[in-house]
């Protein structure tokens, strides 16, 4: 099962990690795909300013995690049917 979760992931912290690990552990066969929002889209989700960490920094950190199988960066602000089909996503988690 391929699960998709997106977010800003700025100033990554233990809560982010627990969320991703929990998604990965929902079943034995989970592939976790994580989307990283662009600075512009992060502002569109209620952030007044650009993220502190650059898109490249946030992407690199997420790619280094054992629980993350794939990173889409930047990701669409709203995943479309087409996006889900292209990436073979079975479920979407949105916090």
């Amino acid at each position: 099962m391929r699960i998709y979760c997106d977010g800003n992931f700025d100033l990554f912290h233990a809560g982010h990690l627990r969320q991703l690990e929990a998604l990965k552990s929902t079943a034995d066969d989970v592939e976790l795909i994580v989307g990283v929002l662009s600075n512009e889209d992060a502002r569109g989700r209620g952030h007044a300013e650009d993220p502190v960490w650059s898109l490249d920094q946030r992407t690199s950190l997420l790619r280094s995690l054992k629980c993350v199988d794939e990173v889409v960066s930047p990701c669409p602000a709203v995943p479309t049917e087409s996006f889900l089909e292209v990436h073979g996503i079975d479920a979407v988690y949105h916090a």
Side-chain angles (χ1 to χ4, degrees), residues 3-13 16 19-20 23 32-47 51 53-55 57-59 61-62 68 70-79 83 92-95:
I3 298 177
Y4 176 75
C5 173
D6 64 10
N8 185 13
F9 299 105
D10 193 29
L11 300 176
F12 194 86
H13 54 78
H16 289 127
Q19 173 192 16
L20 296 174
L23 287 170
L32 183 58
I33 300 100
V34 178
V36 186
L37 293 168
S38 68
N39 292 354
E40 182 177 293
D41 287 335
R43 283 193 307 273
R45 283 204 183 169
H47 296 274
W53 291 0
S54 72
L55 180 62
Q57 289 171 313
R58 294 178 283 137
T59 300
L61 183 137
L62 288 162
V68 175
E70 184 179 331
V71 176
V72 178
S73 177
C75 69
V78 177
F83 176 83
V92 176
Y93 174 83
H94 186 74

